[in-house]
Amino acid sequence: MMDHLKGVAALTIDLDGTLADTGGLKLRMWPSLLQDPRVVLTWPKVVEAMRGRRAPDLRAACVDELARRLGRPAAEVDRSVGEHIDRRWAALYRHAAPPSGLARLMAEARARGMPIAIVSDYPALDKLEAMALPAGQGVDLVIDCRALGALKPAPDGLLAAAALLGHRPGALLHVGDRWETDGLAAAAAGARFLHIDALHR
Ligand SMILES: [Mg+2]
């Protein structure tokens, strides 16, 4: 493997589609799709539309926008998002695992004493717990960009990770699956970026 870690002090990793291959998980959402298809299908579009906007409570802002698009009461949409997206979707991560190339990179980072942070747009603790990562793939820090009020490509999550890990943003290597979110966030923070496909999953 190319030495992606040369000159790197800390590794930051995106969760959805990077640490967790989420492709197969979507098929398992069929019970939720049957119960509330419009919420399940429209939620990701609303989240995408909120990129680049800052809001103190981004989840509430997304719920309000979704309720507006669907013409349904916000409280009802909030409950549905809580059940299908926050709870059921997160629980499906028990079926997800890191791609082997990324697992090797994380093991190498660990061997060199580097801290590892997850920088996700969404709350990641439940998903990481569901994944039950094996020893050596544990993480030191979990950053939820939504809680910071700025989804990627805003650099806030990576800057927070750098500050909390005690390194300059330029010493971070961020691994992600989307150039237009992870790649641009890394560029805006001054961090290095590695696309997950470069790790030959
Ligand atoms: Mg991703």
Side-chain angles (χ1 to χ4, degrees):
M1 185 192 295
M2 217 183 109
D3 191 359
H4 297 294
L5 298 175
K6 193 160 188 279
V8 170
L11 194 57
T12 64
I13 304 172
D14 167 58
L15 178 55
D16 304 279
T18 304
L19 183 70
D21 191 344
T22 49
L25 300 190
K26 291 180 180 143
L27 296 174
R28 296 177 186 267
M29 276 298 273
W30 66 266
S32 287
L33 271 169
L34 287 177
Q35 283 176 30
D36 200 343
R38 297 191 72 204
V39 159
V40 174
L41 294 174
T42 313
W43 176 255
K45 296 175 188 161
V46 167
V47 171
E48 288 304 312
M50 293 303 279
R51 292 192 184 282
R53 291 190 225 170
R54 287 173 196 273
D57 188 341
L58 265 180
R59 184 187 180 282
C62 288
V63 164
D64 287 347
E65 171 60 15
L66 180 56
R68 193 191 63 78
R69 288 195 193 189
L70 302 185
R72 285 165 52 179
E76 178 193 307
V77 168
D78 180 56
R79 273 195 301 279
S80 187
V81 168
E83 172 63 16
H84 298 292
I85 308 295
D86 297 344
R87 196 181 72 77
R88 293 198 199 179
W89 172 246
L92 286 178
Y93 279 63
R94 65 186 181 277
H95 303 292
S100 58
L102 180 58
R104 281 196 298 276
L105 185 75
M106 291 170 77
E108 182 58 32
R110 279 263 169 266
R112 298 187 196 185
M114 283 178 206
I116 298 176
I118 300 302
V119 179
S120 176
D121 279 329
Y122 313 98
L125 291 176
D126 287 351
K127 294 175 180 175
L128 290 170
E129 193 177 292
M131 286 179 77
L133 295 176
Q137 290 175 13
V139 298
D140 303 287
L141 177 68
V142 178
I143 301 282
D144 167 2
C145 298
R146 194 173 76 186
L148 295 177
L151 303 177
K152 303 167 198 166
D156 302 43
L158 290 173
L159 295 176
L164 289 166
L165 294 173
H167 291 292
R168 288 176 300 102
L172 301 183
L173 175 67
H174 181 62
V175 186
D177 67 318
R178 291 177 61 179
W179 293 101
E180 75 281 17
T181 57
D182 295 298
L184 289 181
R192 284 164 53 182
F193 177 65
L194 177 65
H195 196 284
I196 183 72
D197 286 351
L199 290 170
H200 306 294
R201 54 177 164 177

